[in-house]
């Protein structure tokens, strides 16, 4: 017998097979990492074949075949109805030769365990094979989940829109600020220049009232801008304290009465509890109520303005309100009234920041704020605050026996510690007719002049050379714990007030100085320690 033996060298074949296997493995890994699902669409059989190990819109997780065959009707049934016509049209254009490639993003109903939700898919496709007549026989393509990408795109789009709107509002705000600041400045500078030429006391008083009113408006504008900067920086401070709510609101009532025409508008503090001591931020509460009252005064030419508060039925909240019979707010603008830079009347003075700041304050304090209004009939602004009762004050700390000194008013001495000559001249013009004044130009000199003259009251500037106001006060308190010391500061925020009152001062006055307020504070402190003849 003859045995034929053939030998074939398969080394190249085996190397090629290993290479193909390696390439295929890398391709599978790349598709897996990219979360891409390849598929093939048999147009004659109207089925789509896809790799089940990387499912997107073509399968449910409970299926386990290696290759999944899905009828094209089922494929399109899973596409969101708002996207379905667009996707079907794109594939139809590909099959009919109007385009060479499909790239579409659409939503699909995607089942995960027992829950069905919407997912975003990006599908791409092209013609894979054709019949001899050129008609497409199969399509090949891929699908990838892009839900997270669409979410990021939407967030970026919203952020872009917000930034553009913010820039638009800020530009309008800056333009408005230029007008709003220049308007009171024009009145202040103009009437200050002609004040000396006024004929008669009545004309002089009229000019002074105009200057004072515009001073108040300018301070409010600057205060709003500073509060806005603190809100944006996240540093708006809140310092809660115990206080008598009725006393604070009565003070606000008296202050607001000076701003209205009493012949045409009635303003009153009406609703309240007989006794109410609460624990919250007094300064911020006053800021909100004053802002709401100022708006009511601005837009109420006749009728009445009432404000007050009551306890909620569950005793958990205090409900505050400011009600007026003014012009009212259009229904379509009520939802935007608390937005930044929003002004319903472009010809009314103001920054468009007040209500936005009020909303921020109330939310920070744990409350809610809103408005009810009807055009031509008035508005009712309201807000709530958690009701936190103040600590009982029945037990007073023991005090040392105090015998007040009796003195005639013409012998009262006030030490003014102020390093700025212009500021001292202002104090001098306000107080020189009623008191003997002593001027210290720094904190160390204030301590020395106190020991030498023993004044009956001290006006202490906070920022001074050598020793600042806090340091000078500590030194003076070593010699006297009873002499009234009134701090004068340009930083009258809530935390500054707290620090001042805990550092040996009896009270404080904030710059710019209001002459009437300063005189009132000085007289009040003197009457607490002296018997004036």
């Amino acid at each position: 017998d003859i045995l034929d033996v053939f030998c074939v060298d398969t080394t190249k074949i085996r190397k090629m097979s290993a290479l193909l296997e390696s390439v295929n493995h890398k391709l599978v890994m790349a598709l897996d990492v990219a979360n891409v699902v390849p598929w093939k669409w048999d147009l004659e059989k109207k089925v789509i074949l896809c790799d089940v190990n990387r499912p997107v819109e073509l399968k449910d997780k409970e299926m386990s075949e290696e290759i999944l065959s899905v009828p094209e009707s089922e494929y399109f049934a899973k596409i969101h109805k708002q996207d379905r016509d667009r996707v079907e049209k794109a594939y139809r254009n590909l099959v009919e030769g109007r385009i060479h490639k499909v790239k579409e993003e659409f939503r699909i109903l995607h089942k995960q365990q027992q829950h069905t939700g919407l997912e975003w898919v990006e599908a791409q496709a092209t013609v894979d094979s054709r019949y001899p007549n050129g008609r497409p026989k199969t399509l090949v393509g891929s699908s990838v989940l892009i839900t997270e990408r669409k979410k990021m795109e939407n967030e970026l789009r919203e952020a872009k829109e917000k930034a553009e709107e913010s820039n638009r509002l800020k530009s309008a705000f800056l333009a408005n600020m230029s007008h709003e600041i220049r308007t009171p400045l024009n009145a202040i500078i103009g009437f200050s220049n002609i004040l000396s030429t006024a004929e008669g006391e009545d004309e002089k008083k009229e000019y002074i009232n105009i200057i004072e009113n515009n001073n108040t408006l300018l301070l409010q504008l600057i205060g709003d801008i500073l509060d806005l900067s603190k809100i944006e920086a996240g540093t708006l401070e809140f310092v809660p304290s115990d206080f008598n709510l009725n006393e604070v609101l009565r003070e606000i009532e008296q202050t607001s009465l000076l701003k209205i025409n009493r012949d045409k508008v009635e303003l009153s503090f009406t609703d309240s509890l007989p006794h109410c001591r609460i624990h919250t931020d007094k300064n911020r509460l006053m800021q909100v109520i004053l802002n709401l009252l100022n708006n009511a005064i601005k837009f109420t030419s006749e009728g009445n303005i009432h404000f007050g508060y009551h306890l909620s039925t569950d005793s958990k909240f205090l409900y505050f309100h400011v009600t007026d019979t003014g012009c009212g707010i259009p229904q379509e603008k009520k939802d935007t009234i608390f937005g930044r830079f929003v002004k319903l009347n472009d010809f009314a003075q103001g920054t468009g920041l007040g209500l936005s700041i009020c909303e921020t304050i109330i939310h920070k304090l744990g409350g809610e704020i809103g408005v009810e209004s009807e055009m031509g009939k008035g508005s009712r602004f309201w807000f709530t605050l958690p009701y936190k009762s103040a600590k009982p004050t029945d037990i007073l700390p023991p005090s040392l026996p105090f015998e007040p000194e009796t003195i005639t008013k013409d012998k009262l001495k006030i030490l003014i510690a102020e390093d700025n000559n212009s500021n001292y001249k202002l104090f001098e013009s306000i107080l020189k007719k009623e008191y003997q004044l002593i001027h210290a130009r720094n904190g160390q000199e204030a301590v020395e002049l106190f020991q030498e003259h023993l004044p009956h009251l001290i006006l202490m500037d906070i920022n001074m050379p050598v020793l600042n106001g806090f340091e000078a006060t500590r030194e003076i308190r070593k010699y006297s714990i009873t002499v009234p010391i009134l701090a004068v500061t340009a930083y009258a925020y809530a935390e500054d007030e707290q620090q001042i009152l805990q550092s040996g001062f009896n009270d404080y006055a904030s710059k710019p100085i209001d002459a009437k307020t300063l005189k009132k504070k000085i007289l009040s402190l003197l009457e607490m320690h002296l018997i004036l003849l």
Side-chain angles (χ1 to χ4, degrees):
D1 293 336
I2 298 174
L3 179 63
D4 293 329
V5 179
F6 297 92
C7 295
V8 179
D9 187 355
T10 62
T11 303
K12 290 184 178 180
I13 297 175
R14 294 180 67 86
K15 286 183 178 179
M16 184 62 68
S17 177
L19 180 61
L20 288 173
E21 185 176 345
S22 174
V23 170
N24 185 58
H25 176 71
K26 290 176 181 178
L27 180 60
V28 169
M29 292 293 292
L31 292 173
D32 192 51
V33 168
N35 202 23
V36 174
V37 178
W39 50 262
K40 188 172 184 178
W41 189 341
D42 190 323
L43 297 174
E44 183 179 5
K45 296 180 180 179
K46 297 184 177 181
V47 295
I48 300 173
L49 306 175
C50 75
D51 184 346
V52 146
N53 293 320
R54 288 183 297 279
V56 184
E57 77 273 31
L58 301 177
K59 68 170 285 292
D60 296 330
K61 279 196 172 180
E62 56 268 20
M63 302 187 72
S64 59
E65 296 89 346
E66 289 184 5
I67 298 296
L68 174 67
S69 175
V70 177
E72 62 181 44
S73 59
E74 183 179 335
Y75 173 86
F76 285 105
K78 289 188 176 184
I79 299 177
H80 194 283
K81 59 183 180 180
Q82 293 180 355
D83 302 329
R84 193 177 302 155
D85 289 344
R86 172 172 52 83
V87 176
E88 287 179 340
K89 183 179 178 181
Y91 282 119
R92 191 162 53 249
N93 288 337
L94 177 63
V95 171
E96 293 175 1
R98 284 189 286 271
I99 58 176
H100 299 289
K101 181 180 178 181
V102 166
K103 184 177 182 180
E104 291 289 337
E105 296 177 358
F106 51 88
R107 290 160 291 178
I108 55 103
L109 294 171
H110 187 49
K111 188 173 182 180
Q112 292 183 333
Q113 296 178 353
Q114 303 300 318
H115 303 286
T116 301
L118 286 175
E119 297 277 8
W120 276 94
V121 170
E122 181 185 80
Q124 299 189 61
T126 190
V127 175
D128 176 41
S129 62
R130 298 178 183 272
Y131 290 103
N133 62 5
R135 185 169 60 87
K137 181 179 182 181
T138 59
L139 304 181
V140 67
S142 65
S143 299
V144 59
L145 279 177
I146 58 169
T147 305
E148 287 301 315
R149 191 183 84 191
K150 296 296 289 187
K151 182 180 177 182
M152 291 175 62
E153 287 176 0
N154 289 334
E155 290 174 351
L156 287 171
R157 188 179 301 109
E158 290 174 2
K160 178 176 177 288
E161 290 171 356
K162 287 181 180 179
E164 289 173 348
E165 177 67 5
S166 178
N167 284 335
R168 186 189 69 77
L169 289 173
K170 284 184 178 180
S171 296
F173 167 71
L174 290 173
N176 183 47
M177 278 298 95
S178 176
H179 170 75
E180 294 295 337
I181 291 175
R182 287 174 183 273
T183 298
L185 273 178
N186 180 61
I188 293 168
I189 295 171
F191 284 101
S192 296
N193 288 336
I194 65 173
L195 186 60
S196 60
T197 64
E199 297 178 1
E201 287 299 316
D202 290 341
E203 187 177 356
K204 187 176 290 186
K205 284 181 180 178
E206 182 184 0
Y207 292 171
I208 291 172
N209 284 335
I210 293 172
I211 292 170
E212 288 180 348
N213 290 337
N214 282 276
N215 281 339
T216 301
L217 177 60
L218 189 59
L219 283 174
Q220 183 180 345
L221 292 172
I222 293 170
D224 284 348
I225 295 169
L226 291 175
D227 277 340
L228 174 66
S229 67
K230 281 178 167 282
I231 289 171
E232 292 196 334
T235 58
L236 191 67
E237 66 282 344
F238 292 87
V239 182
S241 61
D242 295 344
F243 61 92
N244 187 311
L245 181 57
N246 291 337
E247 288 182 3
V248 169
L249 295 183
R250 288 193 189 98
E251 288 179 13
I252 291 175
E253 179 188 26
Q254 294 304 311
T255 302
S256 300
L257 284 171
L258 302 174
K259 303 175 183 177
I260 65 170
N261 182 345
R262 298 197 189 187
D263 293 334
K264 294 185 177 181
V265 180
E266 173 195 350
L267 186 146
S268 60
F269 166 45
T270 52
D271 307 318
S272 65
L273 302 176
H275 305 284
C276 187
R277 281 183 56 81
I278 63 172
H279 181 79
T280 190
D281 190 312
K282 181 178 75 172
N283 290 344
R284 292 303 176 189
L285 175 59
M286 291 177 66
Q287 182 178 354
V288 172
I289 295 175
L290 280 169
N291 194 291
L292 297 181
L293 280 172
N294 288 339
N295 281 347
I297 292 169
K298 187 189 303 182
F299 296 108
T300 305
S301 56
E302 58 182 9
N304 56 70
I305 301 170
H306 299 303
F307 71 103
Y309 71 94
H310 65 261
L311 190 61
S312 63
T313 53
D314 58 6
S315 300
K316 292 183 178 180
F317 288 89
L318 289 173
Y319 177 95
F320 295 81
H321 75 91
V322 175
T323 307
D324 65 64
T325 57
C327 59
I329 301 169
Q331 189 68 28
E332 67 275 11
K333 294 187 177 181
K334 283 171 61 178
D335 293 338
T336 64
I337 194 70
F338 292 100
R340 286 187 187 178
F341 317 119
V342 172
K343 292 183 66 178
L344 298 187
N345 184 346
D346 290 334
F347 298 100
Q349 289 181 318
T351 61
L353 291 173
L355 289 178
S356 175
I357 293 170
C358 287
E359 183 180 49
T360 299
I361 290 171
I362 294 303
H363 287 170
K364 289 285 188 180
L365 292 175
E368 296 294 332
I369 188 169
V371 62
E372 301 159 7
S373 184
E374 187 175 345
M375 283 297 292
K377 293 187 177 180
S379 305
R380 180 184 181 89
F381 282 86
W382 59 267
F383 64 90
T384 62
L385 288 180
Y387 177 50
K388 298 177 182 178
S389 181
K391 296 178 182 178
T393 56
D394 297 336
I395 303 174
L396 297 176
S399 58
L400 297 173
F402 174 69
E403 187 69 30
E405 178 185 353
T406 302
I407 189 170
T408 57
K409 289 185 179 180
D410 60 335
K411 293 186 178 180
L412 288 171
K413 292 184 289 185
I414 294 180
L415 172 61
I416 301 176
E418 171 61 67
D419 63 309
N420 185 285
N421 288 330
S422 297
N423 286 340
Y424 175 74
K425 285 290 183 183
L426 175 61
F427 288 122
E428 186 180 40
S429 65
I430 296 171
L431 303 174
K432 66 181 179 180
K433 293 181 180 180
E434 300 174 57
Y435 306 100
Q436 299 178 28
L437 304 181
I438 306 162
H439 184 198
R441 290 169 175 78
N442 59 60
Q444 182 61 47
E445 190 175 340
V447 176
E448 294 169 357
L449 289 177
F450 170 77
Q451 293 174 280
E452 180 181 347
H453 295 280
L454 297 177
H456 300 98
L457 183 139
I458 302 172
L459 285 182
M460 183 73 73
D461 187 31
I462 294 299
N463 291 323
M464 290 187 297
V466 188
L467 294 179
N468 63 35
F470 291 110
E471 295 167 336
T473 298
R474 278 198 298 270
E475 291 300 314
I476 290 172
R477 285 298 181 216
K478 295 177 182 179
Y479 304 102
S480 172
I481 61 171
T482 59
V483 62
I485 305 179
L486 183 67
V488 181
T489 176
Y491 305 100
Y493 295 115
E495 75 272 17
D496 298 309
E497 177 186 1
Q498 201 78 355
Q499 183 184 6
I500 286 167
L501 297 179
Q502 292 174 355
S503 301
F505 296 92
N506 299 84
D507 202 349
Y508 77 96
S510 58
K511 294 178 181 178
I513 295 298
D514 178 78
K516 293 179 181 177
T517 303
L518 179 65
K519 287 183 176 181
K520 185 178 177 181
K521 285 179 179 287
I522 288 174
L523 187 59
S524 176
L525 288 173
L526 288 173
E527 288 178 341
M528 290 173 59
H529 295 80
L530 303 169
I531 298 175
L532 304 179
L533 299 177

